[in-house]
Each structure stands twice: as C-alpha cells, then as structure tokens.
C-alpha cells in the first residue's frame, strides 16, 4: 500500500507544499515507511525517497511505538 499526501495551508500550492509519503504492506513483506519533504517520490517498484525518510520493521509492538 502506497500513498502521497500533499498538505496546503488554505492557498493553492503554486510554488511548493509539504508532501508526506507512506508505505506499508498487509503481509509484512515491506517495512512501514514514512517520508516527507517538499518533493516526495513513492512508487510501486519500491522506490521511496524524500528529504526525511523513516522505516520501521513490523513487530507486535510497532503500533504502540508509532503512536508515541
């Protein structure tokens, strides 16, 4: 599962805006991923990049850790 969210502050993003990319899988074949920046690349061939990128492997306590 992949997705990119573009956040704007009430005005159209003519120059740049914050973009957030997310990546996850139901069968735990991919690590949970989050990337953010002014330009984000998130593709179904596992390419995943941005200015700040974080990955976390799937564990039984991942949902509790990700909330903090």
């Amino acid at each position: 599962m992949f997705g990119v969210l573009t956040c704007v502050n009430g005005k159209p993003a003519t120059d740049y805006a914050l973009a957030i990319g997310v990546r996850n899988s139901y069968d735990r074949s991919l690590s949970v991923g989050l990337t953010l920046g002014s330009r984000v690349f998130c593709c179904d061939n596992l390419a995943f990049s941005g200015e700040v990128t974080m990955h976390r492997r799937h564990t039984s306590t991942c949902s509790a850790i990700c909330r903090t």
Side-chain angles (χ1 to χ4, degrees), residues 4-62:
V4 175
L5 305 166
T6 303
C7 305
V8 294
N9 190 13
K11 298 179 182 178
T14 56
D15 291 334
Y16 62 91
L18 175 67
I20 302 170
V22 293
R23 165 176 100 169
N24 198 2
S25 66
Y26 291 114
D27 62 355
R28 298 182 180 187
S29 60
L30 295 173
S31 61
V32 177
L34 176 74
T35 187
L36 41 106
S38 59
R39 182 167 296 206
V40 170
F41 183 71
C42 182
C43 188
D44 61 350
N45 67 354
L46 304 180
F48 192 65
S49 65
E51 293 175 18
V52 177
T53 304
M54 297 173 269
H55 295 276
R56 173 84 183 170
R57 68 181 180 155
H58 284 277
T59 62
S60 59
T61 60
C62 182

